[in-house]
Amino acid sequence: MRDFEFYNPVKIIFGKNKIEKIAKELKAYKKIMLIYGQGSIKRNGIYDRVVSVLEDKDFIEFSGIEPNPSYETLMKAVDLAKENNVDFLLAVGGGSVIDGTKFISAAIKYSGDDPWNMLSKCERVLAAVPLGSVLTIPATGSEMNGGAVISRKSSGEKLSFGSYLLMPKFSILEPEVMYSLPDIQIANGIVDAFVHVLEQYLTYPMNADLQDEWSASLLRVIVKNGKAVLKNRKDYDANSNLMWAATMSLNGLIAKGVVEDWSTHIIGHEITALYNIDHAQTLAIVLPGIMRSQKKEKFEKLIHFAENVWGFDSGNNEENVENAILKTEDFFNEIGIKTKLSDYNIPKGAIEKICKNLEKKNFVELGENKSVSPEVVREVLTFSL
Ligand code: NZQ
Ligand code: ZN
């Protein structure tokens, strides 16, 4: 196991009727900006509940953050926050709203030419306005980490950045908010959380027993409760287990002391940037190809995955691994997230475009072994034709 430091100061407030607890968390702040997406919180009652808590505070609103939040929209929020001397940002939404709020938080304090440089030139985040979140879709883990992914429409880029300064002060997790999500967003969340675990676990052995066992158990919990939620959308315990597992899948814990992959995500971001399809759908397209093309490098971990997540333990490792890859693909399809480029009307020619865009950004040595070159990406995506 590698040496590591672990620090995660996000306060999680989990359970029923927790939005009302925000009042206590906001006591120290004078001017709040409530930030949300394109209206779901107005339809499911979350907006009214949040506003009734904020009534005693001085607050303004910024709405309209889109899925795959755009730099262009977020810069409008930055101007509004600066004009109003906002000292706390309250994100109410899914990963897009929380990520967007992280960008706004860092951009308000940014003193260079263009806050986009924090993503495109990896400039460090030196200061940030404190933020908190009310999570409305379990998927990204953004509610308990310091990362964010932002798209820039004008240049067709989708890039990530992060800092400890961007970790929420608190996040409210009320499983009942999931009842209003369309099935497809539940399924997206299941696939996203599942792949987050794999990016940190399906690499090569590091003798990190606890991280491996945590990862396998997270995957089992996601599969079991994901299916249960889709079967009975108001099963409170299944919703609770899925929500908590998604948060735990990307809060830094299982990545400590081990190597990480992230090639599926980086390739997936290029697909979203070009074709604007949901984040999780891009992962479902890319992951099976990564497992196949990197089978040799990942073999030991694939055996662990096959045995401990899907129960394939016949003694024939080659057969078990192949079954596990097929089972993973079947699982995604079964819950409604298709795994082929053609399922999304993406033409074969997309493969070249994706490879070129990765090369432009110098993303030419992806994966835990830096072995996923554009040549390998071509092979990976060919599996999904
Ligand atoms: O905009 P509104 O009207 O709120 O509608 C949203 C949106 O259309 C809707 N929704 C959210 N909560 C709802 C709801 N509808 C009904 N009831 C509710 N309770 O769902 C739609 C999707 O929301 P979005 O926030 O885009 O989904 P998700 O949480 O999957 O976030 C995806 C974004 O997060 C990034 C992705 O790249 C993508 O941009 N990621 C962020 C990560 C991080 N910060 O650590 C890691 C991930 O790998 C990922 O890259
Ligand atoms: Zn993801």
Side-chain angles (χ1 to χ4, degrees), residues 1-153:
M1 199 190 314
R2 283 182 174 168
D3 298 351
F4 66 85
E5 291 183 9
F6 182 59
Y7 174 66
N8 191 320
V10 181
K11 178 173 181 179
I12 296 293
I13 304 176
F14 186 101
K16 293 186 182 181
N17 304 318
K18 298 297 182 223
I19 287 176
E20 290 64 30
K21 298 234 172 199
I22 297 173
K24 191 174 154 219
E25 304 303 319
L26 294 182
K27 263 193 186 144
Y29 304 103
K30 294 200 167 63
K31 184 90 184 188
I32 319 288
M33 184 152 98
L34 165 62
I35 301 171
Y36 55 100
Q38 299 187 317
S40 69
I41 66 164
K42 289 212 163 158
R43 292 187 290 275
N44 59 19
I46 296 174
Y47 173 86
D48 289 342
R49 287 178 62 204
V50 172
V51 165
S52 74
V53 176
L54 292 179
E55 249 159 23
D56 299 338
K57 308 277 311 180
D58 188 4
F59 79 98
I60 56 170
E61 289 184 24
F62 184 86
S63 64
I65 298 201
E66 55 281 81
N68 305 307
S70 79
Y71 165 86
E72 287 81 358
T73 301
L74 300 171
M75 288 306 286
K76 292 181 192 155
V78 172
D79 290 342
L80 184 69
K82 281 183 176 171
E83 277 162 27
N84 287 277
N85 285 322
V86 161
D87 68 351
F88 193 88
L89 306 175
L90 180 62
V92 183
S96 294
V97 171
I98 302 173
D99 283 10
T101 301
K102 290 176 181 173
F103 179 82
I104 297 164
S105 150
I108 293 170
K109 297 280 187 181
Y110 181 82
S111 56
D113 299 337
D114 182 349
W116 185 248
N117 292 345
M118 292 183 289
L119 293 93
S120 62
K121 297 185 179 163
C122 300
E123 281 182 12
R124 266 187 68 196
V125 177
L126 299 175
V129 175
L131 63 113
S133 85
V134 175
L135 180 69
T136 64
I137 166 169
T140 65
S142 188
E143 65 279 8
M144 202 177 173
N145 68 40
V149 191
I150 310 298
S151 299
R152 187 163 184 164
K153 283 184 196 155

Side-chain angles (χ1 to χ4, degrees), residues 116-267:
W116 185 248
N117 292 345
M118 292 183 289
L119 293 93
S120 62
K121 297 185 179 163
C122 300
E123 281 182 12
R124 266 187 68 196
V125 177
L126 299 175
V129 175
L131 63 113
S133 85
V134 175
L135 180 69
T136 64
I137 166 169
T140 65
S142 188
E143 65 279 8
M144 202 177 173
N145 68 40
V149 191
I150 310 298
S151 299
R152 187 163 184 164
K153 283 184 196 155
S154 58
S155 57
E157 290 166 288
K158 181 172 182 181
L159 297 174
S160 60
F161 80 125
S163 164
Y164 280 111
L165 297 172
L166 300 176
M167 294 176 97
K169 297 286 167 216
F170 63 85
S171 285
I172 307 283
L173 273 61
E174 272 192 18
E176 284 165 317
V177 302
M178 295 163 64
Y179 297 168
S180 62
L181 279 163
D183 284 359
I184 184 73
Q185 292 301 346
I186 295 281
N188 274 344
I190 293 168
V191 170
D192 195 19
F194 190 95
V195 179
H196 289 159
V197 178
L198 290 189
E199 299 272 27
Q200 301 162 88
Y201 155 67
L202 208 58
T203 54
Y204 53 79
M206 300 283 297
N207 299 318
D209 291 357
L210 195 51
Q211 291 87 323
D212 289 347
E213 299 309 320
W214 271 333
S215 296
S217 59
L218 276 170
L219 293 168
R220 290 196 307 271
V221 169
I222 292 166
V223 171
K224 177 181 158 197
N225 292 283
K227 285 185 183 175
V229 168
L230 287 170
K231 204 165 165 195
N232 176 3
R233 293 293 314 279
K234 299 215 167 160
D235 178 340
Y236 180 76
D237 287 326
N239 279 282
S240 302
N241 284 315
L242 181 59
M243 187 174 237
W244 184 222
T247 299
M248 290 297 290
S249 296
L250 196 52
N251 67 357
L253 190 61
I254 59 172
K256 291 298 150 188
V258 300
V259 288
E260 297 173 65
D261 179 346
W262 295 106
S263 55
T264 298
H265 269 70
I266 293 171
I267 300 166

Side-chain angles (χ1 to χ4, degrees), residues 268-289:
H269 290 168
E270 292 305 327
I271 304 180
T272 297
L274 282 167
Y275 299 99
N276 197 27
I277 69 167
D278 292 353
H279 171 63
Q281 297 170 345
T282 69
L283 305 177
I285 293 169
V286 179
L287 179 78

